[in-house]
Amino acid sequence: MKIVLITGIDKGIGKALAEKFLEQGYFVIGTVFEDTDLSNDNLITYNLDLASGESISNCVEGINKSGKKIDILINNAGVLLDKEETSVVIDKLRKTLEINLIGTIDFTEQILSLINKEGHIINISSAASSLGRPYADSRCPANYPSYRISKTALNMYTKTLAFRLNGEIIISSINPGWVKTDMGGQEAELTSKESAKNIFDFAISKPETGQFWSDGKKYIW
Ligand SMILES: NC(=O)c1ccc[n+]([C@@H]2O[C@H](COP(=O)([O-])OP(=O)(O)OC[C@H]3O[C@@H](n4cnc5c(N)ncnc54)[C@H](OP(=O)(O)O)[C@@H]3O)[C@@H](O)[C@H]2O)c1
């Protein structure tokens, strides 16, 4: 049975991903910040606060003790703390980087030895991270600078890790689209189920490592 590790499965895209992988016969290791109402014989959960180094180490230790090796890691958990701001608010920048970037990298580096060769690591990024597309348009207002900075930097981690691992494990950044979740809001285009299906299809494909993807196509960094 193939094994997927997904961070942040208590709601939103992460929850829909956990449900999709379970439905497709995967064993799911999920992390939750507090609790989850998901339960399944093929699911185990561990607590994880990406803002805490201690929590990250404890979570990795728990997964390690389970003896399970991972085929796919999806770094899904993240925060959008400056949805209404157009200027950087330093406290929010620190917290955002701590969770979306540093905690995510720390977790990935610590879990790396448990990921099978030919596995796939997916960093959930965002269209708002892109340096190459217009900064703002009708679908993406000129807001959330700290969030953007965190995801742009996460994309560079994708590149860095892909270069280091040289194809041994595939590393991807992916834009999940604009999704109806607490983060995306109810006016968004996709349901979390639709986004999870797209991410699932992409996760089980064997894409070129070190790239940024959206709708199954390469996206502009
Ligand atoms: N929704 C969109 O339109 C959209 C667009 C582009 C990219 N994304 C990205 O997609 C991913 C999922 O977003 P979503 O829309 O599903 O957001 P969401 O509904 O707000 O869910 C975020 C998840 O991250 C977890 N989380 C928050 N802080 C955490 C921490 N300190 N440590 C560990 N887990 C933490 C949350 O746990 P709690 O519930 O316990 O806080 C929750 O499970 C994120 O990386 C986001 O940036 C979303």
Side-chain angles (χ1 to χ4, degrees), residues 123-128 173-178 199 212-215 219:
N123 294 319
I124 304 281
S125 185
S126 166
S173 278
I174 186 172
N175 165 33
W178 186 22
I199 297 169
F212 186 17
W213 303 89
S214 185
D215 293 327
Y219 198 65

Side-chain angles (χ1 to χ4, degrees), residues 94-107:
R94 274 191 220 287
K95 183 86 185 173
T96 305
L97 292 179
E98 199 61 63
I99 296 168
N100 292 3
L101 182 67
I102 299 166
T104 300
I105 293 175
D106 189 4
F107 183 70

